[in-house]
Amino acid sequence: MTSKVTNNNAALSSPLILAIESSCDDTSAAILQGNRVLANVVANQAVHEQYGGVVPELASREHQKNIVPVVQHALKTAGVGKEELDAIAFTEGPGLMGSLLVGGSFAKTLSLALGIPLIGVDHMKAHILAHFIDEGKPMPEFPFLCLTVSGGHTQIVLIEAPLKMTVVGKTIDDAAGEAFDKAAKILNLGYPGGPVIDRLAKTGDASKFSYAIPKTDGFDFSFSGIKTSFLYQLQAEMRQNEKFIDENLNDICASYQHHIISYLLSKMEDALIHYDVKDIALAGGVSANSELRSRFDGLAEKYGIRSHVPKFEYCTDNAAMISIVGYFKFLENAFDGLSITPKARLHF
Ligand code: KG4
Ligand code: ZN
């Protein structure tokens, strides 16, 4: 079954799109006109902090509570009436099934009620295409390579056109964000751990401790060995000195962060040489990391190519990035029928 398509010339050049993101623990709604964001509202779920990670059941319930007020807030901020919308985009996957279902069901219902097209969006592609939101700064030129680093994924992606992407490297176990979050949990720093480690690392000595360097093929990654070597080193030090963490916290964070970033960048360097690209981009929650952002720019400078790091607001999960994929799919008339179902695993 296909939704009714209400294209007119004005809408075709700069459609008004409502996007919904609910793949994990943030409920977000955005309004996009053409490739310009009019509103991007994100409701974070503090409920998970006490558990040291996202509790899926609680996440779905929070989405259910937040979705209507978040969408209303986005429409109000954008000054747009729902009857003016040309399409609704939503996160199809990957993500937590219960969370995806809330956003997906809401989007389907509204698309049916308003008689406008529905567009399912791949969350990982959205992280990458966030670089094409008009912010008045240069956008990546095709083909380019993107290092996508989030709480669930670590990928190197070759992008040849907005809707033509190939994963050329990926983690074979944990994601980079997970490596940050798990270390933070061991250090008792709360969830999510990435931002805390980033902050503490700023005043630490990154050369103080060293960890295992994984051996992975091609442009693939592995983080489980780094995490295990981190844990074993801490346990050994704690046996000698039970105050080891307190006395060395900033140095531990700085060394661990530096190690993860050096590993990410070494693979990215191999890939940019291999594919001979002139543009490299960073995407996903971990791209908010201050050391990664500055060293990524340094990598591009070394090769005389252009680097693109996302605006902070578009690093972690948000609906603006879903809306820009909605825009590219709208231009191609790539709409979905109402039988589309969310997918916890979605590969491209
Ligand atoms: O993309 P995202 O918001 O959600 C997923 O799709 O997974 O990424 C969340 C991840 C978490 O693992 C979080 O710890 C990490 O991004 N993160 C960071 C920073 N800010 C968020 N990691 C390192 N440094 C940061 N500043
Ligand atoms: Zn994400």
Side-chain angles (χ1 to χ4, degrees), residues 23-26 123-124 127 149-153 176-178 180-181 191-196 198 257 284-290 312 315-317 321:
S23 65
C24 190
D25 61 338
D26 295 314
H123 180 95
M124 298 313 296
H127 270 299
V149 273
S150 74
H153 295 78
E178 251 177 307
F180 275 98
D181 294 337
Y191 176 86
V196 192
D198 189 0
Q257 175 176 291
V286 183
S287 63
N289 186 275
S290 49
F312 268 110
C315 289
T316 45
D317 292 347
M321 68 184 199

Side-chain angles (χ1 to χ4, degrees), residues 27 45 58-69 98 101-102 106:
T27 317
Q45 301 181 359
L58 295 180
S60 338
R61 285 190 222 174
E62 290 296 301
H63 284 306
Q64 194 71 259
K65 268 194 252 168
N66 293 339
I67 189 109
V68 172
L101 279 168
V102 178
F106 182 92

Side-chain angles (χ1 to χ4, degrees), residues 109-329:
T109 310
L110 199 58
S111 135
L112 188 63
L114 297 174
I116 56 174
L118 182 68
I119 304 170
V121 170
D122 183 315
H123 180 95
M124 298 313 296
K125 290 184 181 174
H127 270 299
I128 298 171
L129 293 180
H131 286 284
F132 294 91
I133 294 171
D134 185 3
E135 294 289 336
K137 63 180 178 97
M139 294 173 186
E141 286 176 23
F142 302 105
F144 68 97
L145 279 176
C146 186
L147 175 64
T148 313
V149 273
S150 74
H153 295 78
T154 304
Q155 300 173 332
I156 295 179
V157 182
L158 177 68
I159 301 100
E160 293 170 275
L163 301 178
K164 190 173 179 214
M165 302 187 189
T166 315
V167 177
V168 298
K170 59 181 184 317
T171 181
I172 57 166
D173 42 52
D174 292 349
E178 251 177 307
F180 275 98
D181 294 337
K182 286 181 177 170
K185 196 169 182 178
I186 295 168
L187 296 171
N188 222 359
L189 297 177
Y191 176 86
V196 192
I197 292 183
D198 189 0
R199 182 168 48 78
L200 295 172
K202 285 191 167 70
T203 48
D205 175 0
S207 64
K208 188 99 173 262
F209 306 106
S210 53
Y211 306 98
I213 301 172
K215 300 235 178 315
T216 40
D217 293 338
F219 311 120
D220 282 347
F221 299 95
S222 164
F223 288 94
S224 70
I226 298 180
K227 182 196 65 194
T228 310
S229 82
F230 174 81
L231 177 66
Y232 287 176
Q233 187 186 88
L234 271 188
Q235 286 172 336
E237 296 283 1
M238 296 285 279
R239 278 195 290 273
Q240 311 287 324
N241 169 14
E242 59 182 31
K243 291 200 188 134
F244 177 78
I245 293 181
D246 295 341
E247 290 171 3
N248 296 279
L249 187 59
N250 296 54
D251 295 341
I252 296 171
C253 290
S255 301
Y256 185 69
Q257 175 176 291
H258 187 81
H259 186 76
I260 290 177
I261 290 167
S262 299
Y263 177 50
L264 286 169
L265 293 182
S266 73
K267 289 285 182 174
M268 192 62 187
E269 184 164 1
D270 292 347
L272 75 86
I273 294 169
H274 180 86
Y275 288 100
D276 192 23
V277 289
K278 301 286 172 272
D279 289 70
I280 54 171
L282 201 54
V286 183
S287 63
N289 186 275
S290 49
E291 183 181 344
L292 177 57
R293 294 169 82 87
S294 64
R295 290 179 63 192
F296 197 77
D297 286 339
L299 176 64
E301 256 171 54
K302 180 176 167 187
Y303 288 90
I305 61 175
R306 294 172 291 265
S307 65
H308 304 267
V309 295
K311 200 177 163 191
F312 268 110
E313 189 185 349
Y314 304 140
C315 289
T316 45
D317 292 347
N318 66 88
M321 68 184 199
I322 304 300
S323 68
I324 191 76
V325 186
Y327 168 70
F328 286 120
K329 291 183 107 175

